[in-house]
Amino acid sequence: SQQGEEDPQALSIQEGENATMNCSYKTSINNLQWYRQNSGRGLVHLILIRSNEREKHSGRLRVTLDTSKKSSSLLITASRAADTASYFCATGGGTSYGKLTFGQGTILTVHP
Amino acid sequence: DVKVTQSSRYLVKRTGEKVFLECVQDMDHENMFWYRQDPGLGLRLIYFSYDVKMKEKGDIPEGYSVSREKKERFSLILESASTNQTSMYLCASSLVNMGYNQPQHFGDGTRLSIL
């Protein structure tokens, strides 16, 4: 069963603009992770935020988590054409041997 | 850097064949996972393993089995391939949980076509 649902399904922006992707989930979580997938490749881990954290930064990435609304957002600032990829959120319960539940992803296209 | 290697990038097989997909990781990770990825459906977990010879069913185990005889290697087996198993298959590994899920490291995937 799918836990996370990303919104929007697709996003098209110009280089230099900010990109915001949202993720909603249904059950309580221990942590939430964001991954990136370039076309035809595997997923690459971007950032992890624990349930007791509200915001986290990594370079041009900013992730927020609102456990009361069961939602998270990923902001990519000053986007580049190389940021073009699919982005997935994944939720973990902290147990179950590391099992994550992935959403369906947001396809981001950044035009030069 | 962690490296997860899947044996084939592209594979074409016929219905009814027994198909083996191999995955090897080089970082001594305890957990290993097999997913399939289909357009509009995202990643769905087929099986995972938390130790040698240990395996657990994921969300869609029907038609698949797995084998983990060594810590670094996790194999996915399609017992009798069918056309609805045409998909992208992704292998991943992670360290054991330390109060929260560790990031998963993915291979580049095997695009499997069943004719």
Side-chain angles (χ1 to χ4, degrees), chain A residues 2-107:
Chain A
Q2 293 296 324
Q3 163 84 307
E5 293 184 7
E6 282 95 340
D7 169 56
Q9 291 187 345
L11 181 60
S12 182
I13 60 174
Q14 297 295 128
E15 255 189 341
E17 293 180 343
N18 294 343
T20 300
M21 288 158 269
N22 302 297
C23 170
S24 60
Y25 56 92
K26 296 184 173 71
T27 61
S28 63
I29 61 170
N30 171 280
N31 66 96
L32 186 144
Q33 304 179 24
W34 285 90
Y35 289 79
R36 165 197 169 121
Q37 183 181 34
N38 287 353
S39 180
R41 305 298 297 270
L43 279 72
V44 175
H45 179 260
L46 295 175
I47 197 164
L48 180 153
I49 186 165
R50 300 194 204 185
S51 59
N52 61 355
E53 298 175 309
R54 291 297 165 258
E55 189 170 313
K56 211 160 180 184
H57 296 255
S58 177
R60 293 184 297 114
L61 304 181
R62 173 177 167 256
V63 168
T64 61
L65 178 64
D66 186 335
T67 53
S68 66
K69 295 181 179 178
K70 292 188 169 58
S71 68
S72 173
S73 67
L74 171 67
L75 168 67
I76 303 175
T77 59
S79 62
R80 306 166 182 166
D83 294 328
T84 294
S86 293
Y87 291 82
F88 295 86
C89 69
T91 54
T95 57
S96 297
Y97 307 110
K99 192 172 76 164
L100 294 172
T101 302
F102 286 83
Q104 295 183 10
T106 292
I107 300 170

Side-chain angles (χ1 to χ4, degrees), chain A residues 96-100, chain B residues 2-6 21-35 45-52 54-58 66-76 90-96 103-107:
Chain A
S96 297
Y97 307 110
K99 192 172 76 164
L100 294 172
Chain B
V2 176
K3 190 158 179 68
V4 178
T5 303
Q6 295 186 230
L21 302 183
E22 306 286 344
C23 175
V24 177
Q25 50 95 3
D26 66 357
M27 284 301 290
D28 205 34
H29 284 175
E30 289 80 7
N31 300 328
M32 296 190 75
F33 309 85
W34 274 107
Y35 298 90
L45 182 64
I46 305 172
Y47 267 97
F48 64 101
S49 168
Y50 53 90
D51 202 351
V52 174
M54 306 305 290
K55 59 187 179 184
E56 293 284 338
K57 292 180 181 179
V66 290
S67 172
R68 193 165 181 202
E69 296 296 318
K70 293 185 178 181
K71 191 174 185 180
E72 68 270 18
R73 186 180 296 270
F74 192 35
S75 303
L76 180 70
L90 292 164
C91 174
S93 70
S94 74
L95 287 167
V96 70
Q104 293 187 9
H105 300 263
F106 284 80

Side-chain angles (χ1 to χ4, degrees), chain B residues 7-13 19-21 110-114:
Chain B
S7 52
S8 306
R9 290 297 305 277
Y10 302 93
L11 206 54
V12 180
K13 296 290 182 181
V19 181
F20 294 84
L21 302 183
T110 295
R111 191 165 291 283
L112 175 65
S113 296
I114 307 295

